[in-house]
Each structure stands twice: as C-alpha cells, then as structure tokens.
C-alpha cells in the first residue's frame, strides 16, 4: 500500500519525537504473532509507559537520525517493531522479554541505550535494571542505614551504663 509523502513526513516526525524523548529502544521481529496477541502487548505497553511503533524500515531510519538511536539503523531489517521506553530504561526490555517467552514466533533482534547498539543476547542487561521505584527504595535504604546505626549506638550507651551500674550494685550487695 502506497503512503502519501505528507503521511510519510508525519510518521517520521512522530517516531522522531518519540525517539528523542525515549531512554531506550528494543527492536523485535513480530512475524507469526496473532493480532490478538499484538493487541494485548500494546495494552501492556501503554500501562508500562512503553511506546510501540511498527514503521517501514526506511522511515524508521529517517526518524532516528539526529537522536541517540541512530545506531539501530543496521538492525532495521525485515518486519520490525520498535519499543521505546519513555520513563524507565528497562521497561521495554522487560515487556518484550516476557512476551517473547510466551510467543515462540516473537524474536528480539537488538536493543539500544545511550547511543550503544547491543545484541539480543544483552536483553537481560537492560531488563534487570531496577525500576525507578525500586531504585529510589534502594537509595532510601542506603541513606537510612548510617542513621539507623547511629541511633542504635546512641541507644546502646545508656543501656551499657545501666548494666554497669547494676553490676556495681550487685557487687556491693554481695560484699555487704
């Protein structure tokens, strides 16, 4: 089906805007996946702030020019779905990795983050990144640890004094 020039320009501009705001992108081959499964994947993607795009490869190559995802051009071969992570760098990787486990036909091709193209075998590297909430929780735990230790140390001092006074009292009672 032929696409008019104005429509092509609109598609390129839309994908370029998405790519400019994205933290990472995962590319996958979706041949053999049913439309119902793709609809379910899109619904999960919306819930996790992942933007899925199916675009012609030539238009995708034009769209990523001038963004940190120019490196994906060599991976744009055959039918490709682009999954852009908008809020959490690992969201798209986790989403597509889980979907690939369920769907045999779905194959992850490559991923890119920070201008670096990585192979499909590196999907775990990105998928295992903590979410923003998990990262903030870890940070809070790390910053809270020294304060907790200080509080325990300060609490320990009066109890040591109390134990020492009790020992002296016991000793005096034994002596008496």
């Amino acid at each position: 089906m032929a696409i008019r020039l104005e429509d092509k320009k609109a598609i390129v501009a839309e994908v370029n805007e998405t790519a400019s705001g994205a933290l990472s992108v995962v590319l996958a081959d979706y041949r053999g996946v049913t439309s119902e499964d793709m609809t379910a994947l899109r619904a999960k993607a919306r819930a996790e702030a992942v933007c899925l795009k199916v675009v012609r490869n030539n238009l995708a190559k034009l769209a990523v020019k001038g963004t940190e995802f120019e490196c994906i051009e060599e991976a744009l071969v055959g039918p490709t779905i682009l999954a852009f992570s908008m809020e959490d760098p690992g969201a798209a990787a986790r989403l597509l990795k889980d979907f690939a486990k369920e769907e045999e036909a779905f194959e992850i091709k490559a991923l890119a983050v920070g201008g670096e193209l990585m192979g499909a075998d590196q999907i775990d590297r990105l998928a295992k990144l903590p979410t923003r909430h998990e990262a903030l929780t870890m940070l809070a735990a790390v910053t809270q640890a020294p304060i907790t230790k200080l509080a325990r140390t300060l609490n320990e001092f009066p109890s040591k004094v109390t134990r020492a006074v009790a020992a002296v009292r016991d000793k005096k009672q034994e002596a008496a």
Side-chain angles (χ1 to χ4, degrees):
M1 174 172 100
I3 301 175
R4 295 185 337 207
L5 182 61
E6 297 83 35
D7 295 336
K8 288 179 183 178
K9 287 180 181 178
I11 291 168
V12 167
E14 180 184 346
V15 174
N16 183 278
E17 182 180 333
T18 302
S20 296
L23 301 171
S24 68
V25 65
V26 180
L27 292 78
D29 185 342
Y30 60 92
R31 281 184 279 206
V33 179
T34 64
S35 62
E36 294 89 26
D37 291 336
M38 286 300 285
T39 302
L41 177 64
R42 288 180 188 280
K44 287 180 190 174
R46 276 190 294 276
E48 296 184 26
V50 174
C51 185
L52 294 179
K53 298 283 184 190
V54 176
V55 186
R56 289 183 176 178
N57 291 335
N58 287 339
L59 297 179
K61 287 176 185 177
L62 290 172
V64 296
K65 280 204 186 330
T67 68
E68 67 178 274
F69 302 117
E70 279 188 75
C71 58
I72 68 168
E73 287 185 20
E74 64 191 53
L76 290 169
V77 179
T80 305
I81 187 167
L82 303 169
F84 292 98
S85 292
M86 304 309 287
E87 294 175 5
D88 172 22
R94 280 189 294 278
L95 178 73
L96 294 189
K97 180 183 174 192
D98 291 344
F99 189 73
K101 285 180 185 175
E102 298 168 10
E103 289 291 325
E104 287 181 20
F106 195 80
E107 180 187 339
I108 295 172
K109 291 179 173 184
L111 54 130
V113 63
E116 180 185 348
L117 181 67
M118 296 178 248
D121 57 328
Q122 296 289 318
I123 191 79
D124 286 332
R125 188 170 153 195
L126 192 57
K128 289 183 179 176
L129 283 177
T131 63
R132 183 175 190 274
H133 180 69
E134 291 169 344
L136 289 174
T137 303
M138 285 188 255
L139 178 65
V142 167
T143 55
Q144 184 181 5
I147 296 168
T148 305
K149 191 172 183 179
L150 176 66
R152 283 188 195 135
T153 304
L154 291 176
N155 267 347
E156 205 172 285
F157 180 75
S159 59
K160 280 185 177 180
V161 169
T162 305
R163 283 192 297 268
V165 169
V168 168
R169 180 196 65 205
D170 292 344
K171 206 175 207 181
K172 284 185 179 183
Q173 285 177 350
E174 285 176 18

